[in-house]
Amino acid sequence: GAVVSQHPSWVICKSGTSVKIECRSLDFQATTMFWYRQFPKQSLMLMATSNEGSKATYEQGVEKDKFLINHASLTLSTLTVTSAHPEDSSFYICSARDRLGTQETQYFGPGTRLLVL
Amino acid sequence: QKEVEQNSGPLSVPEGAIASLNCTYSDRGSQSFFWYRQYSGKSPELIMFIYSNGDKEDGRFTAQLNKASQYVSLLIRDSQPSDSATYLCAGGFFQKLVFGTGTRLLVSP
């Protein structure tokens, strides 16, 4: 149980293009999903909290117009990196919190590695 | 500011030994703590969580929480080379997780 998938697993794109990453909870419903970014040899940094049916809450310093988040259903959240630039190259990981869970346990997807040329 | 501190390591232990990983946190308001394992190039995998003071055991893993000292630890018994990874400690703060920088564990055969 508690399986989270992400697609694509890696993507290479040209500077200026937009990239969409999908995060799905496969065997549970997730009212809340989270998007993280991890640079090499650094820890996970929370970018935003995504709640089903409402606007995402962004962490300080994260541009909401650049990182568009949509959480249209209880099993799907998407992150769109708009007008990507080389400095956006990173490992993007989503996590999901079980709707029935009473604690803050998060289950992580396998991550999406983004390389912007 | 809520912080979770970990020694970056690496912590080197021989196969079969006990590995002890430590973590301190700054916010007394945190009620839950999590240990995740992250292999190089992969996403974190939940090992266990703990809410109450004391010990919690799950197989070869034991998590320990001391709220008075704001200290969390993870013991890995009978360490195996496959346990070599980075171990992330996280504190739960109102639905969010705040991660430490992780401790790299190396288990030598």
Side-chain angles (χ1 to χ4, degrees), chain A residues 32 34 38 43-44 59 103-106 108-110 113, chain B residues 32 34 36 38 41 43 46 51 94-97 100:
Chain A
T32 305
F34 303 85
Q38 186 176 36
S43 191
L44 294 161
E59 295 299 301
Q103 58 263 23
E104 293 139 317
T105 306
Q106 294 179 24
F108 285 86
R113 203 162 295 278
Chain B
S32 56
F34 302 80
Y36 287 86
Q38 187 174 25
S43 68
L46 179 66
Y51 302 129
F94 301 103
Q95 289 195 31
K96 298 180 183 180
L97 292 180

mmCIF file with all atom_site columns, all heavy atoms in Angstrom, chain A residues 32 34 38 43-44 59 103-106 108-110 113, chain B residues 32 34 36 38 41 43 46 51 94-97 100:
data_model
loop_
_atom_site.group_PDB
_atom_site.id
_atom_site.type_symbol
_atom_site.label_atom_id
_atom_site.label_alt_id
_atom_site.label_comp_id
_atom_site.label_asym_id
_atom_site.label_entity_id
_atom_site.label_seq_id
_atom_site.pdbx_PDB_ins_code
_atom_site.Cartn_x
_atom_site.Cartn_y
_atom_site.Cartn_z
_atom_site.occupancy
_atom_site.B_iso_or_equiv
_atom_site.pdbx_formal_charge
_atom_site.auth_seq_id
_atom_site.auth_comp_id
_atom_site.auth_asym_id
_atom_site.auth_atom_id
_atom_site.pdbx_PDB_model_num
ATOM 1   N N   . THR A 1 32  ? -3.818 15.893 0.413   1.00 0.00 ? 32  THR A N   1
ATOM 2   C CA  . THR A 1 32  ? -2.659 16.782 0.424   1.00 0.00 ? 32  THR A CA  1
ATOM 3   C C   . THR A 1 32  ? -1.472 16.107 -0.233  1.00 0.00 ? 32  THR A C   1
ATOM 4   O O   . THR A 1 32  ? -1.141 14.965 0.090   1.00 0.00 ? 32  THR A O   1
ATOM 5   C CB  . THR A 1 32  ? -2.277 17.171 1.863   1.00 0.00 ? 32  THR A CB  1
ATOM 6   O OG1 . THR A 1 32  ? -3.411 17.729 2.529   1.00 0.00 ? 32  THR A OG1 1
ATOM 7   C CG2 . THR A 1 32  ? -1.145 18.194 1.858   1.00 0.00 ? 32  THR A CG2 1
ATOM 8   N N   . PHE A 1 34  ? 2.635  17.085 -1.666  1.00 0.00 ? 34  PHE A N   1
ATOM 9   C CA  . PHE A 1 34  ? 3.729  18.025 -1.465  1.00 0.00 ? 34  PHE A CA  1
ATOM 10  C C   . PHE A 1 34  ? 4.720  17.911 -2.620  1.00 0.00 ? 34  PHE A C   1
ATOM 11  O O   . PHE A 1 34  ? 4.957  16.830 -3.144  1.00 0.00 ? 34  PHE A O   1
ATOM 12  C CB  . PHE A 1 34  ? 4.456  17.729 -0.150  1.00 0.00 ? 34  PHE A CB  1
ATOM 13  C CG  . PHE A 1 34  ? 3.572  17.743 1.063   1.00 0.00 ? 34  PHE A CG  1
ATOM 14  C CD1 . PHE A 1 34  ? 2.856  16.609 1.435   1.00 0.00 ? 34  PHE A CD1 1
ATOM 15  C CD2 . PHE A 1 34  ? 3.445  18.881 1.830   1.00 0.00 ? 34  PHE A CD2 1
ATOM 16  C CE1 . PHE A 1 34  ? 2.024  16.612 2.555   1.00 0.00 ? 34  PHE A CE1 1
ATOM 17  C CE2 . PHE A 1 34  ? 2.626  18.898 2.948   1.00 0.00 ? 34  PHE A CE2 1
ATOM 18  C CZ  . PHE A 1 34  ? 1.921  17.765 3.307   1.00 0.00 ? 34  PHE A CZ  1
ATOM 19  N N   . GLN A 1 38  ? 15.325 18.794 -4.821  1.00 0.00 ? 38  GLN A N   1
ATOM 20  C CA  . GLN A 1 38  ? 16.570 18.396 -4.175  1.00 0.00 ? 38  GLN A CA  1
ATOM 21  C C   . GLN A 1 38  ? 17.725 18.592 -5.142  1.00 0.00 ? 38  GLN A C   1
ATOM 22  O O   . GLN A 1 38  ? 17.772 17.963 -6.201  1.00 0.00 ? 38  GLN A O   1
ATOM 23  C CB  . GLN A 1 38  ? 16.499 16.929 -3.716  1.00 0.00 ? 38  GLN A CB  1
ATOM 24  C CG  . GLN A 1 38  ? 17.703 16.495 -2.900  1.00 0.00 ? 38  GLN A CG  1
ATOM 25  C CD  . GLN A 1 38  ? 17.570 15.073 -2.379  1.00 0.00 ? 38  GLN A CD  1
ATOM 26  O OE1 . GLN A 1 38  ? 17.031 14.204 -3.050  1.00 0.00 ? 38  GLN A OE1 1
ATOM 27  N NE2 . GLN A 1 38  ? 18.060 14.834 -1.176  1.00 0.00 ? 38  GLN A NE2 1
ATOM 28  N N   . SER A 1 43  ? 19.661 18.449 1.055   1.00 0.00 ? 43  SER A N   1
ATOM 29  C CA  . SER A 1 43  ? 18.460 17.787 1.536   1.00 0.00 ? 43  SER A CA  1
ATOM 30  C C   . SER A 1 43  ? 17.241 18.235 0.735   1.00 0.00 ? 43  SER A C   1
ATOM 31  O O   . SER A 1 43  ? 17.335 19.083 -0.160  1.00 0.00 ? 43  SER A O   1
ATOM 32  C CB  . SER A 1 43  ? 18.256 18.089 3.012   1.00 0.00 ? 43  SER A CB  1
ATOM 33  O OG  . SER A 1 43  ? 17.243 17.265 3.546   1.00 0.00 ? 43  SER A OG  1
ATOM 34  N N   . LEU A 1 44  ? 16.133 17.644 1.070   1.00 0.00 ? 44  LEU A N   1
ATOM 35  C CA  . LEU A 1 44  ? 14.883 17.994 0.406   1.00 0.00 ? 44  LEU A CA  1
ATOM 36  C C   . LEU A 1 44  ? 14.425 19.378 0.846   1.00 0.00 ? 44  LEU A C   1
ATOM 37  O O   . LEU A 1 44  ? 14.428 19.681 2.028   1.00 0.00 ? 44  LEU A O   1
ATOM 38  C CB  . LEU A 1 44  ? 13.799 16.982 0.783   1.00 0.00 ? 44  LEU A CB  1
ATOM 39  C CG  . LEU A 1 44  ? 14.004 15.559 0.286   1.00 0.00 ? 44  LEU A CG  1
ATOM 40  C CD1 . LEU A 1 44  ? 13.153 14.603 1.080   1.00 0.00 ? 44  LEU A CD1 1
ATOM 41  C CD2 . LEU A 1 44  ? 13.666 15.480 -1.175  1.00 0.00 ? 44  LEU A CD2 1
ATOM 42  N N   . GLU A 1 59  ? 6.081  27.806 -0.439  1.00 0.00 ? 59  GLU A N   1
ATOM 43  C CA  . GLU A 1 59  ? 7.052  28.189 0.575   1.00 0.00 ? 59  GLU A CA  1
ATOM 44  C C   . GLU A 1 59  ? 7.719  29.503 0.165   1.00 0.00 ? 59  GLU A C   1
ATOM 45  O O   . GLU A 1 59  ? 7.732  29.892 -1.017  1.00 0.00 ? 59  GLU A O   1
ATOM 46  C CB  . GLU A 1 59  ? 8.098  27.100 0.744   1.00 0.00 ? 59  GLU A CB  1
ATOM 47  C CG  . GLU A 1 59  ? 7.537  25.802 1.295   1.00 0.00 ? 59  GLU A CG  1
ATOM 48  C CD  . GLU A 1 59  ? 6.916  25.956 2.664   1.00 0.00 ? 59  GLU A CD  1
ATOM 49  O OE1 . GLU A 1 59  ? 7.616  26.382 3.600   1.00 0.00 ? 59  GLU A OE1 1
ATOM 50  O OE2 . GLU A 1 59  ? 5.703  25.665 2.786   1.00 0.00 ? 59  GLU A OE2 1
ATOM 51  N N   . GLN A 1 103 ? -1.655 11.068 11.084  1.00 0.00 ? 103 GLN A N   1
ATOM 52  C CA  . GLN A 1 103 ? -0.359 11.641 11.339  1.00 0.00 ? 103 GLN A CA  1
ATOM 53  C C   . GLN A 1 103 ? 0.175  12.304 10.077  1.00 0.00 ? 103 GLN A C   1
ATOM 54  O O   . GLN A 1 103 ? -0.519 12.389 9.079   1.00 0.00 ? 103 GLN A O   1
ATOM 55  C CB  . GLN A 1 103 ? 0.622  10.563 11.824  1.00 0.00 ? 103 GLN A CB  1
ATOM 56  C CG  . GLN A 1 103 ? 0.807  9.412  10.852  1.00 0.00 ? 103 GLN A CG  1
ATOM 57  C CD  . GLN A 1 103 ? -0.065 8.223  11.187  1.00 0.00 ? 103 GLN A CD  1
ATOM 58  O OE1 . GLN A 1 103 ? -1.077 8.380  11.840  1.00 0.00 ? 103 GLN A OE1 1
ATOM 59  N NE2 . GLN A 1 103 ? 0.307  7.062  10.735  1.00 0.00 ? 103 GLN A NE2 1
ATOM 60  N N   . GLU A 1 104 ? 1.384  12.767 10.181  1.00 0.00 ? 104 GLU A N   1
ATOM 61  C CA  . GLU A 1 104 ? 1.916  13.534 9.062   1.00 0.00 ? 104 GLU A CA  1
ATOM 62  C C   . GLU A 1 104 ? 2.763  12.698 8.116   1.00 0.00 ? 104 GLU A C   1
ATOM 63  O O   . GLU A 1 104 ? 3.580  13.211 7.382   1.00 0.00 ? 104 GLU A O   1
ATOM 64  C CB  . GLU A 1 104 ? 2.740  14.705 9.615   1.00 0.00 ? 104 GLU A CB  1
ATOM 65  C CG  . GLU A 1 104 ? 1.875  15.719 10.326  1.00 0.00 ? 104 GLU A CG  1
ATOM 66  C CD  . GLU A 1 104 ? 2.491  16.254 11.608  1.00 0.00 ? 104 GLU A CD  1
ATOM 67  O OE1 . GLU A 1 104 ? 3.050  15.459 12.386  1.00 0.00 ? 104 GLU A OE1 1
ATOM 68  O OE2 . GLU A 1 104 ? 2.430  17.462 11.829  1.00 0.00 ? 104 GLU A OE2 1
ATOM 69  N N   . THR A 1 105 ? 2.550  11.404 8.127   1.00 0.00 ? 105 THR A N   1
ATOM 70  C CA  . THR A 1 105 ? 3.349  10.524 7.286   1.00 0.00 ? 105 THR A CA  1
ATOM 71  C C   . THR A 1 105 ? 3.175  10.856 5.825   1.00 0.00 ? 105 THR A C   1
ATOM 72  O O   . THR A 1 105 ? 2.063  10.985 5.328   1.00 0.00 ? 105 THR A O   1
ATOM 73  C CB  . THR A 1 105 ? 2.947  9.056  7.519   1.00 0.00 ? 105 THR A CB  1
ATOM 74  O OG1 . THR A 1 105 ? 3.036  8.773  8.900   1.00 0.00 ? 105 THR A OG1 1
ATOM 75  C CG2 . THR A 1 105 ? 3.862  8.127  6.745   1.00 0.00 ? 105 THR A CG2 1
ATOM 76  N N   . GLN A 1 106 ? 4.262  10.996 5.144   1.00 0.00 ? 106 GLN A N   1
ATOM 77  C CA  . GLN A 1 106 ? 4.245  11.263 3.713   1.00 0.00 ? 106 GLN A CA  1
ATOM 78  C C   . GLN A 1 106 ? 4.942  10.118 2.981   1.00 0.00 ? 106 GLN A C   1
ATOM 79  O O   . GLN A 1 106 ? 5.977  9.634  3.414   1.00 0.00 ? 106 GLN A O   1
ATOM 80  C CB  . GLN A 1 106 ? 4.961  12.584 3.397   1.00 0.00 ? 106 GLN A CB  1
ATOM 81  C CG  . GLN A 1 106 ? 4.262  13.803 3.957   1.00 0.00 ? 106 GLN A CG  1
ATOM 82  C CD  . GLN A 1 106 ? 4.995  15.083 3.642   1.00 0.00 ? 106 GLN A CD  1
ATOM 83  O OE1 . GLN A 1 106 ? 5.758  15.160 2.670   1.00 0.00 ? 106 GLN A OE1 1
ATOM 84  N NE2 . GLN A 1 106 ? 4.773  16.106 4.457   1.00 0.00 ? 106 GLN A NE2 1
ATOM 85  N N   . PHE A 1 108 ? 6.623  9.056  -0.612  1.00 0.00 ? 108 PHE A N   1
ATOM 86  C CA  . PHE A 1 108 ? 7.251  9.763  -1.713  1.00 0.00 ? 108 PHE A CA  1
ATOM 87  C C   . PHE A 1 108 ? 7.142  9.012  -3.033  1.00 0.00 ? 108 PHE A C   1
ATOM 88  O O   . PHE A 1 108 ? 7.181  7.784  -3.078  1.00 0.00 ? 108 PHE A O   1
ATOM 89  C CB  . PHE A 1 108 ? 8.732  10.003 -1.401  1.00 0.00 ? 108 PHE A CB  1
ATOM 90  C CG  . PHE A 1 108 ? 8.952  11.098 -0.401  1.00 0.00 ? 108 PHE A CG  1
ATOM 91  C CD1 . PHE A 1 108 ? 8.914  10.836 0.952   1.00 0.00 ? 108 PHE A CD1 1
ATOM 92  C CD2 . PHE A 1 108 ? 9.172  12.395 -0.825  1.00 0.00 ? 108 PHE A CD2 1
ATOM 93  C CE1 . PHE A 1 108 ? 9.090  11.853 1.878   1.00 0.00 ? 108 PHE A CE1 1
ATOM 94  C CE2 . PHE A 1 108 ? 9.358  13.416 0.090   1.00 0.00 ? 108 PHE A CE2 1
ATOM 95  C CZ  . PHE A 1 108 ? 9.315  13.143 1.445   1.00 0.00 ? 108 PHE A CZ  1
ATOM 96  N N   . GLY A 1 109 ? 7.012  9.792  -4.092  1.00 0.00 ? 109 GLY A N   1
ATOM 97  C CA  . GLY A 1 109 ? 7.118  9.241  -5.419  1.00 0.00 ? 109 GLY A CA  1
ATOM 98  C C   . GLY A 1 109 ? 8.587  9.001  -5.750  1.00 0.00 ? 109 GLY A C   1
ATOM 99  O O   . GLY A 1 109 ? 9.477  9.405  -4.999  1.00 0.00 ? 109 GLY A O   1
ATOM 100 N N   . PRO A 1 110 ? 8.858  8.371  -6.899  1.00 0.00 ? 110 PRO A N   1
ATOM 101 C CA  . PRO A 1 110 ? 10.236 8.030  -7.265  1.00 0.00 ? 110 PRO A CA  1
ATOM 102 C C   . PRO A 1 110 ? 11.057 9.223  -7.753  1.00 0.00 ? 110 PRO A C   1
ATOM 103 O O   . PRO A 1 110 ? 12.261 9.111  -7.919  1.00 0.00 ? 110 PRO A O   1
ATOM 104 C CB  . PRO A 1 110 ? 10.062 7.002  -8.369  1.00 0.00 ? 110 PRO A CB  1
ATOM 105 C CG  . PRO A 1 110 ? 8.727  7.321  -8.952  1.00 0.00 ? 110 PRO A CG  1
ATOM 106 C CD  . PRO A 1 110 ? 7.880  7.805  -7.826  1.00 0.00 ? 110 PRO A CD  1
ATOM 107 N N   . ARG A 1 113 ? 13.801 13.659 -12.604 1.00 0.00 ? 113 ARG A N   1
ATOM 108 C CA  . ARG A 1 113 ? 15.054 14.386 -12.773 1.00 0.00 ? 113 ARG A CA  1
ATOM 109 C C   . ARG A 1 113 ? 14.911 15.288 -13.989 1.00 0.00 ? 113 ARG A C   1
ATOM 110 O O   . ARG A 1 113 ? 14.667 14.813 -15.093 1.00 0.00 ? 113 ARG A O   1
ATOM 111 C CB  . ARG A 1 113 ? 16.212 13.407 -12.948 1.00 0.00 ? 113 ARG A CB  1
ATOM 112 C CG  . ARG A 1 113 ? 17.559 14.013 -12.585 1.00 0.00 ? 113 ARG A CG  1
ATOM 113 C CD  . ARG A 1 113 ? 18.608 12.929 -12.343 1.00 0.00 ? 113 ARG A CD  1
ATOM 114 N NE  . ARG A 1 113 ? 18.337 12.091 -11.203 1.00 0.00 ? 113 ARG A NE  1
ATOM 115 C CZ  . ARG A 1 113 ? 18.620 12.413 -9.952  1.00 0.00 ? 113 ARG A CZ  1
ATOM 116 N NH1 . ARG A 1 113 ? 19.153 13.585 -9.680  1.00 0.00 ? 113 ARG A NH1 1
ATOM 117 N NH2 . ARG A 1 113 ? 18.362 11.564 -8.979  1.00 0.00 ? 113 ARG A NH2 1
ATOM 118 N N   . SER B 2 32  ? 5.787  14.690 15.948  1.00 0.00 ? 32  SER B N   1
ATOM 119 C CA  . SER B 2 32  ? 6.076  13.439 15.254  1.00 0.00 ? 32  SER B CA  1
ATOM 120 C C   . SER B 2 32  ? 7.407  13.534 14.529  1.00 0.00 ? 32  SER B C   1
ATOM 121 O O   . SER B 2 32  ? 7.794  14.607 14.061  1.00 0.00 ? 32  SER B O   1
ATOM 122 C CB  . SER B 2 32  ? 4.966  13.125 14.247  1.00 0.00 ? 32  SER B CB  1
ATOM 123 O OG  . SER B 2 32  ? 4.807  14.193 13.341  1.00 0.00 ? 32  SER B OG  1
ATOM 124 N N   . PHE B 2 34  ? 10.220 11.319 11.855  1.00 0.00 ? 34  PHE B N   1
ATOM 125 C CA  . PHE B 2 34  ? 10.273 10.294 10.818  1.00 0.00 ? 34  PHE B CA  1
ATOM 126 C C   . PHE B 2 34  ? 11.712 10.034 10.420  1.00 0.00 ? 34  PHE B C   1
ATOM 127 O O   . PHE B 2 34  ? 12.544 10.940 10.394  1.00 0.00 ? 34  PHE B O   1
ATOM 128 C CB  . PHE B 2 34  ? 9.492  10.769 9.583   1.00 0.00 ? 34  PHE B CB  1
ATOM 129 C CG  . PHE B 2 34  ? 8.046  11.095 9.870   1.00 0.00 ? 34  PHE B CG  1
ATOM 130 C CD1 . PHE B 2 34  ? 7.698  12.304 10.449  1.00 0.00 ? 34  PHE B CD1 1
ATOM 131 C CD2 . PHE B 2 34  ? 7.054  10.181 9.590   1.00 0.00 ? 34  PHE B CD2 1
ATOM 132 C CE1 . PHE B 2 34  ? 6.375  12.608 10.736  1.00 0.00 ? 34  PHE B CE1 1
ATOM 133 C CE2 . PHE B 2 34  ? 5.728  10.475 9.866   1.00 0.00 ? 34  PHE B CE2 1
ATOM 134 C CZ  . PHE B 2 34  ? 5.391  11.687 10.438  1.00 0.00 ? 34  PHE B CZ  1
ATOM 135 N N   . TYR B 2 36  ? 13.715 8.489  7.149   1.00 0.00 ? 36  TYR B N   1
ATOM 136 C CA  . TYR B 2 36  ? 13.643 8.048  5.767   1.00 0.00 ? 36  TYR B CA  1
ATOM 137 C C   . TYR B 2 36  ? 15.035 7.597  5.326   1.00 0.00 ? 36  TYR B C   1
ATOM 138 O O   . TYR B 2 36  ? 16.050 8.148  5.768   1.00 0.00 ? 36  TYR B O   1
ATOM 139 C CB  . TYR B 2 36  ? 13.182 9.181  4.843   1.00 0.00 ? 36  TYR B CB  1
ATOM 140 C CG  . TYR B 2 36  ? 11.721 9.535  4.944   1.00 0.00 ? 36  TYR B CG  1
ATOM 141 C CD1 . TYR B 2 36  ? 11.263 10.431 5.899   1.00 0.00 ? 36  TYR B CD1 1
ATOM 142 C CD2 . TYR B 2 36  ? 10.798 8.982  4.062   1.00 0.00 ? 36  TYR B CD2 1
ATOM 143 C CE1 . TYR B 2 36  ? 9.917  10.772 5.979   1.00 0.00 ? 36  TYR B CE1 1
ATOM 144 C CE2 . TYR B 2 36  ? 9.455  9.311  4.128   1.00 0.00 ? 36  TYR B CE2 1
ATOM 145 C CZ  . TYR B 2 36  ? 9.022  10.211 5.076   1.00 0.00 ? 36  TYR B CZ  1
ATOM 146 O OH  . TYR B 2 36  ? 7.685  10.537 5.150   1.00 0.00 ? 36  TYR B OH  1
ATOM 147 N N   . GLN B 2 38  ? 17.426 7.154  1.920   1.00 0.00 ? 38  GLN B N   1
ATOM 148 C CA  . GLN B 2 38  ? 17.519 7.583  0.535   1.00 0.00 ? 38  GLN B CA  1
ATOM 149 C C   . GLN B 2 38  ? 18.789 7.036  -0.085  1.00 0.00 ? 38  GLN B C   1
ATOM 150 O O   . GLN B 2 38  ? 19.901 7.396  0.303   1.00 0.00 ? 38  GLN B O   1
ATOM 151 C CB  . GLN B 2 38  ? 17.490 9.120  0.418   1.00 0.00 ? 38  GLN B CB  1
ATOM 152 C CG  . GLN B 2 38  ? 17.422 9.612  -1.014  1.00 0.00 ? 38  GLN B CG  1
ATOM 153 C CD  . GLN B 2 38  ? 17.257 11.123 -1.125  1.00 0.00 ? 38  GLN B CD  1
ATOM 154 O OE1 . GLN B 2 38  ? 17.635 11.871 -0.232  1.00 0.00 ? 38  GLN B OE1 1
ATOM 155 N NE2 . GLN B 2 38  ? 16.689 11.592 -2.247  1.00 0.00 ? 38  GLN B NE2 1
ATOM 156 N N   . GLY B 2 41  ? 20.516 8.868  -5.859  1.00 0.00 ? 41  GLY B N   1
ATOM 157 C CA  . GLY B 2 41  ? 19.741 9.007  -7.080  1.00 0.00 ? 41  GLY B CA  1
ATOM 158 C C   . GLY B 2 41  ? 18.289 8.589  -6.969  1.00 0.00 ? 41  GLY B C   1
ATOM 159 O O   . GLY B 2 41  ? 17.554 8.631  -7.950  1.00 0.00 ? 41  GLY B O   1
ATOM 160 N N   . SER B 2 43  ? 14.472 8.469  -4.510  1.00 0.00 ? 43  SER B N   1
ATOM 161 C CA  . SER B 2 43  ? 13.677 9.293  -3.596  1.00 0.00 ? 43  SER B CA  1
ATOM 162 C C   . SER B 2 43  ? 13.651 8.637  -2.217  1.00 0.00 ? 43  SER B C   1
ATOM 163 O O   . SER B 2 43  ? 13.986 7.454  -2.066  1.00 0.00 ? 43  SER B O   1
ATOM 164 C CB  . SER B 2 43  ? 12.262 9.467  -4.140  1.00 0.00 ? 43  SER B CB  1
ATOM 165 O OG  . SER B 2 43  ? 11.561 8.240  -4.121  1.00 0.00 ? 43  SER B OG  1
ATOM 166 N N   . LEU B 2 46  ? 10.269 5.653  3.473   1.00 0.00 ? 46  LEU B N   1
ATOM 167 C CA  . LEU B 2 46  ? 9.957  5.714  4.897   1.00 0.00 ? 46  LEU B CA  1
ATOM 168 C C   . LEU B 2 46  ? 10.429 4.444  5.603   1.00 0.00 ? 46  LEU B C   1
ATOM 169 O O   . LEU B 2 46  ? 10.112 3.333  5.192   1.00 0.00 ? 46  LEU B O   1
ATOM 170 C CB  . LEU B 2 46  ? 8.457  5.889  5.098   1.00 0.00 ? 46  LEU B CB  1
ATOM 171 C CG  . LEU B 2 46  ? 7.964  5.944  6.540   1.00 0.00 ? 46  LEU B CG  1
ATOM 172 C CD1 . LEU B 2 46  ? 8.494  7.196  7.241   1.00 0.00 ? 46  LEU B CD1 1
ATOM 173 C CD2 . LEU B 2 46  ? 6.445  5.900  6.600   1.00 0.00 ? 46  LEU B CD2 1
ATOM 174 N N   . TYR B 2 51  ? 6.171  8.963  17.759  1.00 0.00 ? 51  TYR B N   1
ATOM 175 C CA  . TYR B 2 51  ? 5.496  10.094 18.381  1.00 0.00 ? 51  TYR B CA  1
ATOM 176 C C   . TYR B 2 51  ? 5.789  10.211 19.864  1.00 0.00 ? 51  TYR B C   1
ATOM 177 O O   . TYR B 2 51  ? 5.789  11.299 20.425  1.00 0.00 ? 51  TYR B O   1
ATOM 178 C CB  . TYR B 2 51  ? 3.971  9.978  18.262  1.00 0.00 ? 51  TYR B CB  1
ATOM 179 C CG  . TYR B 2 51  ? 3.466  9.872  16.873  1.00 0.00 ? 51  TYR B CG  1
ATOM 180 C CD1 . TYR B 2 51  ? 2.596  8.851  16.522  1.00 0.00 ? 51  TYR B CD1 1
ATOM 181 C CD2 . TYR B 2 51  ? 3.835  10.790 15.911  1.00 0.00 ? 51  TYR B CD2 1
ATOM 182 C CE1 . TYR B 2 51  ? 2.117  8.748  15.241  1.00 0.00 ? 51  TYR B CE1 1
ATOM 183 C CE2 . TYR B 2 51  ? 3.368  10.694 14.627  1.00 0.00 ? 51  TYR B CE2 1
ATOM 184 C CZ  . TYR B 2 51  ? 2.506  9.681  14.296  1.00 0.00 ? 51  TYR B CZ  1
ATOM 185 O OH  . TYR B 2 51  ? 2.038  9.574  13.027  1.00 0.00 ? 51  TYR B OH  1
ATOM 186 N N   . PHE B 2 94  ? 2.666  20.604 11.693  1.00 0.00 ? 94  PHE B N   1
ATOM 187 C CA  . PHE B 2 94  ? 1.393  20.967 11.071  1.00 0.00 ? 94  PHE B CA  1
ATOM 188 C C   . PHE B 2 94  ? 1.320  20.515 9.611   1.00 0.00 ? 94  PHE B C   1
ATOM 189 O O   . PHE B 2 94  ? 1.235  21.315 8.691   1.00 0.00 ? 94  PHE B O   1
ATOM 190 C CB  . PHE B 2 94  ? 1.165  22.477 11.158  1.00 0.00 ? 94  PHE B CB  1
ATOM 191 C CG  . PHE B 2 94  ? 1.144  22.981 12.560  1.00 0.00 ? 94  PHE B CG  1
ATOM 192 C CD1 . PHE B 2 94  ? 2.233  23.638 13.089  1.00 0.00 ? 94  PHE B CD1 1
ATOM 193 C CD2 . PHE B 2 94  ? 0.040  22.784 13.360  1.00 0.00 ? 94  PHE B CD2 1
ATOM 194 C CE1 . PHE B 2 94  ? 2.226  24.109 14.391  1.00 0.00 ? 94  PHE B CE1 1
ATOM 195 C CE2 . PHE B 2 94  ? 0.027  23.237 14.677  1.00 0.00 ? 94  PHE B CE2 1
ATOM 196 C CZ  . PHE B 2 94  ? 1.130  23.904 15.191  1.00 0.00 ? 94  PHE B CZ  1
ATOM 197 N N   . GLN B 2 95  ? 1.337  19.242 9.408   1.00 0.00 ? 95  GLN B N   1
ATOM 198 C CA  . GLN B 2 95  ? 1.234  18.583 8.100   1.00 0.00 ? 95  GLN B CA  1
ATOM 199 C C   . GLN B 2 95  ? 2.531  18.593 7.309   1.00 0.00 ? 95  GLN B C   1
ATOM 200 O O   . GLN B 2 95  ? 2.742  17.761 6.449   1.00 0.00 ? 95  GLN B O   1
ATOM 201 C CB  . GLN B 2 95  ? 0.156  19.224 7.210   1.00 0.00 ? 95  GLN B CB  1
ATOM 202 C CG  . GLN B 2 95  ? -1.262 18.984 7.624   1.00 0.00 ? 95  GLN B CG  1
ATOM 203 C CD  . GLN B 2 95  ? -2.228 19.332 6.504   1.00 0.00 ? 95  GLN B CD  1
ATOM 204 O OE1 . GLN B 2 95  ? -1.891 19.204 5.323   1.00 0.00 ? 95  GLN B OE1 1
ATOM 205 N NE2 . GLN B 2 95  ? -3.415 19.750 6.858   1.00 0.00 ? 95  GLN B NE2 1
ATOM 206 N N   . LYS B 2 96  ? 3.408  19.524 7.573   1.00 0.00 ? 96  LYS B N   1
ATOM 207 C CA  . LYS B 2 96  ? 4.629  19.567 6.788   1.00 0.00 ? 96  LYS B CA  1
ATOM 208 C C   . LYS B 2 96  ? 5.729  18.771 7.474   1.00 0.00 ? 96  LYS B C   1
ATOM 209 O O   . LYS B 2 96  ? 5.679  18.535 8.678   1.00 0.00 ? 96  LYS B O   1
ATOM 210 C CB  . LYS B 2 96  ? 5.099  21.009 6.635   1.00 0.00 ? 96  LYS B CB  1
ATOM 211 C CG  . LYS B 2 96  ? 4.129  21.920 5.907   1.00 0.00 ? 96  LYS B CG  1
ATOM 212 C CD  . LYS B 2 96  ? 4.714  23.316 5.810   1.00 0.00 ? 96  LYS B CD  1
ATOM 213 C CE  . LYS B 2 96  ? 3.736  24.272 5.162   1.00 0.00 ? 96  LYS B CE  1
ATOM 214 N NZ  . LYS B 2 96  ? 4.310  25.630 5.078   1.00 0.00 ? 96  LYS B NZ  1
ATOM 215 N N   . LEU B 2 97  ? 6.703  18.382 6.685   1.00 0.00 ? 97  LEU B N   1
ATOM 216 C CA  . LEU B 2 97  ? 7.898  17.750 7.216   1.00 0.00 ? 97  LEU B CA  1
ATOM 217 C C   . LEU B 2 97  ? 9.082  18.682 6.998   1.00 0.00 ? 97  LEU B C   1
ATOM 218 O O   . LEU B 2 97  ? 9.253  19.220 5.912   1.00 0.00 ? 97  LEU B O   1
ATOM 219 C CB  . LEU B 2 97  ? 8.162  16.421 6.523   1.00 0.00 ? 97  LEU B CB  1
ATOM 220 C CG  . LEU B 2 97  ? 7.169  15.292 6.777   1.00 0.00 ? 97  LEU B CG  1
ATOM 221 C CD1 . LEU B 2 97  ? 7.580  14.037 6.010   1.00 0.00 ? 97  LEU B CD1 1
ATOM 222 C CD2 . LEU B 2 97  ? 7.061  14.978 8.262   1.00 0.00 ? 97  LEU B CD2 1
ATOM 223 N N   . GLY B 2 100 ? 16.214 17.144 7.960   1.00 0.00 ? 100 GLY B N   1
ATOM 224 C CA  . GLY B 2 100 ? 17.610 17.407 8.188   1.00 0.00 ? 100 GLY B CA  1
ATOM 225 C C   . GLY B 2 100 ? 18.382 17.174 6.900   1.00 0.00 ? 100 GLY B C   1
ATOM 226 O O   . GLY B 2 100 ? 17.813 16.725 5.893   1.00 0.00 ? 100 GLY B O   1
#
